[in-house]
Each structure stands twice: as structure tokens, then as C-alpha cells.
Amino acid sequence: MKIEQIYTGCLAQGAYYITSNGEAAIIDPLREIQPYLDRLDRDQVKLKYIFETHFHADFVSGHIDLSKETGAPIVYGPNAACEFDCISAKDGQEFKIGKITIKALHTPGHTMESTTYLLIDENGKDHAIFSGDTLFIGDVGRPDLAQKAAGMTQDQLAGILFHSLRDKIMTLADDVIVYPAHGAGSACGKNMSKETVSTIGNQKATNYALRADMTEAEFITEVTDGLLPPPAYFSMNVAMNKGGYESFESVLHNGMKGIAVKDFEAVAEETGALILDTRKSGDFYKGFIPQSINIGINGDFAPWVGTLIANVKQPIILVTENGLEEETVTRLSRVGFDSIIGHLEGGFDAWEKAGFEVDTVNRISAEQFAAEFKIEEDKVIDIRKETEYEAEHIEDAYSKPLAYINDWVKDINPNEHFYLHCAGGYRSMIAASILQARGFRNFTEIDGGFGAIAKTDIPKSDFVCQSKVLKA
């Protein structure tokens, strides 16, 4: 028996590849399936089942393409109304893979079809669970995402999750390994650990939601407290996972089409495409195509695209570093952005050399900011998360998280100058590009963000440990 966790950092997502005696199973696969096919070929095993823990909201799974390519059936838990051929497993139903058994444990609460898969080894011993978004390391799945589909309130779903955890998961032996679908950085929970593997015993001892003396009412209160609104693209990804989607190969083919510099503006206008520049912020601010949005491929790229662009059907034209076109298309497809028209041939360098109009962002260093900043006169907008802001911030700075820029941008006075920063410069350049695309030029973005500002003598609030902020 072999278990491989295939972890994708930018999505904070774990897929699982399991083999035993010539057969294999894959749990929660990503959109692009070639890496799985390569593993199957390498190990000379037959894919017997594709297991899905639930209809994912934060990414588009590769289950449909993988099933078409291999013939392996797709397995969901009870209540899964697939719009394609799938097995909706009964609670307790068992599936044989070589010498091991995968047992479906229906654990609703995050969604009503959510299912944890228990791996039983060839000796009949409970070995591990693949808990999906039911149980994370240090946290549990948020119960507010499936309210509309379930016709329930988040409190009702939280109550169902409470019993799923205690009746199906906490009853397992302490040495059973826990393999979750996500880790820190995912929007599917609120306080996940950076660790991606644990045990039932460890989680009973450390996970706030699994306290032995916790009442159902306490659980509901603690699990629902502090939940941020889910990104707008989540519901669209659920629909794609449930109803089907265009093949990844087709999406990749379209995205790899080069658009010549001379045709670029015409194509953008005819298609209504958004120009997405995925270069590093340090390159973008020096020069970019006017009206383009910068979301760097080197950061939490796909989640930010999903959060800020939101509509997965929005046509997109890419401007990337040369050689990163395929990676960019792949990462966009993981969150359902399939309407990629193509990419600028030769990248921004070709645009600049052709003599077309170029825009820039007014970026300064933290040291320059400290030298010119006037306390009680200058306005500062901090676009980090609220918890980051609460931990420590510039005195009198305004907290305006990037995730809500589409809401707070309307409140900006175009005649009032302000400074803009995040933690390190990645998010603030995203914000800067969005602001300039909407006509705002009255700001200065700070290179290095709060990490650099903190090293200056600019007055700051008292530091509060973020772990305390999260628990407050």
C-alpha cells in the first residue's frame, strides 16, 4: 500500500493517490489530469475509483476528465446529485482497491453530501481518513457555503457538522491518520494549521472544534464566529463540479494562442476581455499596458483571481513572463476561468518595443514613505486582512482589505491623496492596478509593505499576537 499526498500550495489543496496490489484510487484530483496519468503509468496500476469528498467550491476538480480518460467511476457520498454518471455511495459502503478497503463515512455539515473516506488496511485495521472539508488540521469546514443548496441556515448546518464529527470521526482510534483537503490559506476554513497531516488523537487534543466537553451550542457559536463572506467564484465552481465543464486540454489550447502586438488592442476590444498581467509586482509597476490588472503568478494567484474577478466566464487575455503561459492557463483553469482568449506574443517587452502606450504605478520605498509621511495629515489605507491589521498597524491607518476592494473603492475621494500598502507589496500592487484601471491616480504604493514599514520609526499600534486575534 502506498499513499501520496499531492499538495498544491497556491490553492492550499491536497489530492491523494493511493495504490495497492496493482490498483489505484485518487481522491479530490485537481483539474489537470496528466500528472495522475503519469503516476498510473509509472506504477503500472489501474485506476479503479475516483473519490470526491464533496462538490468543491474553491477549485474545479479533474474528476470528469480523469474518468473519461481511464474509465474509472466517480464516487461521491450520499445526496450527491451529479449531472453526469457517478456513484452516490451509501453511508458505510465499502470499495476494494487491491488489498485495502475504502469505506464511505457520510459526514454532512460543510455540505450535505460531504463524505469522509476511511482507509482500512489489508489486516482490517483503520489506517487513515481522507476528511475533505469536514475536518482540517486545527479547524473544521465552514458551514455557511451550502446554505442555499441545503435550504438551511449556517447554524443548522453547523449543528449537523457537530454530530458528524462526534459520531463518525471522533469515535475512531487516536492513531488513525488525518489527511484533509486543505491547509492554511484556504478560504474553506478560518483557522487552519500549516500542517497538512495529523492524527485523530492529536486533533482531539489541539483542535478547538473537537473539545470533548464542548456542547452543540458552543460548537455552533465558535465555528460560525468570524466567518468572512465566501469569494464570489465559489458558487460557480460548485456548479462546474456538479454539472461538468470544458476539457482542460481545450482550455489550454485556447490559452496558448499567441496574439500579436499589432492585433492585441483590437482583440481585447472585440471580446471585452480583461487584460491580466501576471508578472511580479516589481516589474509591473515600472511599466504595463494601460487598464491591465496585475495579479502575480508568484503569489496566491488563483484564489485572488477568483476573489477579485469573480465571474469565471469573463474573457481574459494574458500578459505573462515568457515561458509561463502554460502554467498561468493551468492555474486559472483550476478555479474555473476557462474563457482565456490567448496571450500577448513576446509579453510586455514586445509591447514596449513596439512603442505602444505604457502606464506606471507611483511606488516608493518604506524609507521614503517614512521621510515624507506627516502624522495626522496623511491618509494611509492598509489592505491586509483584518486579523493582520488588528495584530499591528500604522496609527490611524484605515483598514480596507483587498478582498473587498470592489465595495470600498466607491468611497475613495479622487481628490485626496493616500498611501497604500499590504504586508509585502504583492496585494498592494493588485489594488494599485485595479484603482488605476478605474481612473484613480491619487495614491502612492509602498514597496515592501508593512514588513518594511515596521522597520522604520513610523508610529504603530501595540503588537498583538495573531493567534490571539483569531481566537478573540
Side-chain angles (χ1 to χ4, degrees):
M1 177 181 70
K2 180 179 74 172
I3 301 172
E4 182 181 356
Q5 182 185 67
I6 306 169
Y7 200 77
T8 304
C10 68
L11 288 176
Q13 189 268 347
Y16 296 91
Y17 171 72
I18 306 162
T19 61
S20 173
N21 200 36
E23 294 183 332
I26 295 175
I27 300 176
D28 292 340
L30 279 185
R31 181 76 179 272
E32 66 277 16
I33 65 170
Q34 192 59 47
Y36 308 119
L37 299 178
D38 291 344
R39 281 174 169 81
L40 294 167
D41 184 61
R42 176 197 66 195
D43 296 335
Q44 292 295 292
V45 294
K46 177 180 173 57
L47 184 61
K48 194 169 183 184
Y49 294 108
I50 301 160
F51 292 101
E52 291 284 2
T53 54
H54 62 297
F55 292 119
H56 305 285
D58 59 314
F59 72 97
V60 178
S61 177
H63 55 309
I64 296 174
D65 282 351
L66 191 56
S67 180
K68 288 178 180 177
E69 186 68 26
T70 64
I74 301 166
V75 181
Y76 278 90
N79 305 322
C82 306
E83 296 175 26
F84 46 83
D85 289 338
C86 78
I87 297 171
S88 183
K90 297 177 181 178
D91 185 26
Q93 186 171 346
E94 296 184 349
F95 302 85
K96 293 290 184 180
I97 296 97
K99 295 182 179 180
I100 66 172
T101 301
I102 300 287
K103 183 177 182 180
L105 304 178
H106 189 209
T107 50
H110 174 66
T111 66
M112 289 308 292
E113 80 283 351
S114 284
T115 296
T116 294
Y117 295 104
L118 172 65
L119 188 155
I120 303 169
D121 68 20
E122 59 184 276
N123 298 314
K125 183 181 184 302
D126 294 347
H127 178 78
I129 58 169
F130 302 89
S131 54
D133 287 18
T134 296
L135 175 64
F136 299 124
I137 311 306
D139 201 1
V140 293
R142 52 191 295 175
D144 62 318
L145 299 183
Q147 295 176 78
K148 185 176 180 180
M152 299 179 183
T153 66
Q154 67 175 19
D155 285 4
Q156 289 173 318
L157 284 164
I160 292 170
L161 181 60
F162 173 83
H163 290 287
S164 290
L165 291 164
R166 277 149 182 81
D167 299 343
K168 298 289 183 66
I169 290 179
M170 292 176 68
T171 55
L172 297 170
D174 285 353
D175 64 349
V176 171
I177 300 168
V178 178
Y179 291 113
H182 294 291
S186 168
C188 294
K190 60 178 181 176
N191 192 30
M192 284 180 261
S193 169
K194 292 181 180 179
E195 300 298 321
T196 61
V197 180
S198 186
T199 63
I200 295 290
N202 178 270
Q203 287 309 290
K204 285 180 182 178
T206 61
N207 191 320
Y208 76 96
L210 301 191
R211 292 200 314 270
D213 61 348
M214 185 180 247
T215 66
E216 182 175 342
E218 289 171 338
F219 177 89
I220 293 171
T221 297
E222 293 192 36
V223 167
T224 58
D225 181 51
L227 286 175
L228 298 175
Y233 76 102
F234 270 26
S235 61
M236 299 180 192
N237 277 196
V238 169
M240 293 175 74
N241 282 317
K242 183 180 289 189
Y245 46 75
E246 188 175 359
S247 75
F248 169 72
E249 293 302 324
S250 176
V251 174
L252 181 61
H253 174 75
N254 290 335
M256 293 303 290
K257 293 177 181 176
I259 302 172
V261 171
K262 62 181 179 63
D263 301 323
F264 191 84
E265 287 184 300
V267 173
E269 290 178 8
E270 289 171 6
T271 60
L274 179 146
I275 303 171
L276 180 61
D277 190 319
T278 66
R279 293 175 298 149
K280 297 180 178 67
S281 64
D283 294 326
F284 180 85
Y285 89 94
K286 298 174 185 177
F288 57 91
I289 299 171
Q291 301 297 306
S292 58
I293 303 301
N294 175 238
I295 304 179
I297 193 74
N298 60 318
D300 290 335
F301 173 68
W304 278 121
V305 169
T307 298
L308 297 172
I309 299 176
N311 181 8
V312 298
K313 296 183 180 179
Q314 167 65 51
I316 292 172
I317 298 178
L318 298 173
V319 179
T320 74
E321 292 182 31
N322 290 329
L324 293 183
E325 297 87 359
E326 182 173 343
E327 179 183 352
T328 304
V329 174
T330 298
R331 290 172 68 173
L332 284 170
S333 74
R334 289 173 181 168
V335 287
F337 285 83
D338 290 359
S339 299
I340 305 168
I341 306 299
H343 65 273
L344 175 61
E345 281 185 349
F348 178 73
D349 289 345
W351 177 272
E352 191 172 34
K353 288 176 182 176
F356 286 93
E357 183 183 356
V358 170
D359 202 355
T360 61
V361 169
N362 182 21
R363 165 177 269 196
I364 63 172
S365 68
E367 292 75 20
Q368 185 178 344
F369 170 59
E372 63 183 55
F373 177 65
K374 297 180 179 63
I375 301 172
E376 297 181 356
E377 290 184 28
D378 290 326
K379 183 176 182 178
V380 178
I381 291 182
D382 184 335
I383 65 161
R384 297 176 298 163
K385 294 178 182 179
E386 291 174 344
T387 51
E388 295 173 276
Y389 176 87
E390 291 168 2
E392 189 178 21
H393 58 266
I394 298 171
E395 285 189 4
D396 298 327
Y398 290 85
S399 175
K400 301 287 186 181
L402 174 60
Y404 308 124
I405 190 170
N406 292 322
D407 297 323
W408 58 256
V409 68
K410 64 181 180 293
D411 299 324
I412 292 177
N413 180 350
N415 299 313
E416 179 185 29
H417 177 267
F418 60 91
Y419 293 96
L420 180 75
H421 79 84
C422 62
Y426 178 82
R427 287 173 286 177
S428 56
M429 192 55 64
I430 297 175
S433 68
I434 293 172
L435 290 169
Q436 291 198 184
R438 299 187 184 185
F440 295 96
R441 316 286 304 191
N442 55 313
F443 64 90
T444 302
E445 189 263 351
I446 304 169
D447 187 16
F450 192 77
I453 295 168
K455 298 175 184 177
T456 71
D457 58 2
I458 288 177
K460 296 172 282 293
S461 65
D462 292 334
F463 176 75
V464 179
C465 177
Q466 283 203 47
S467 63
K468 293 181 180 179
V469 171
L470 287 167
K471 294 176 182 177

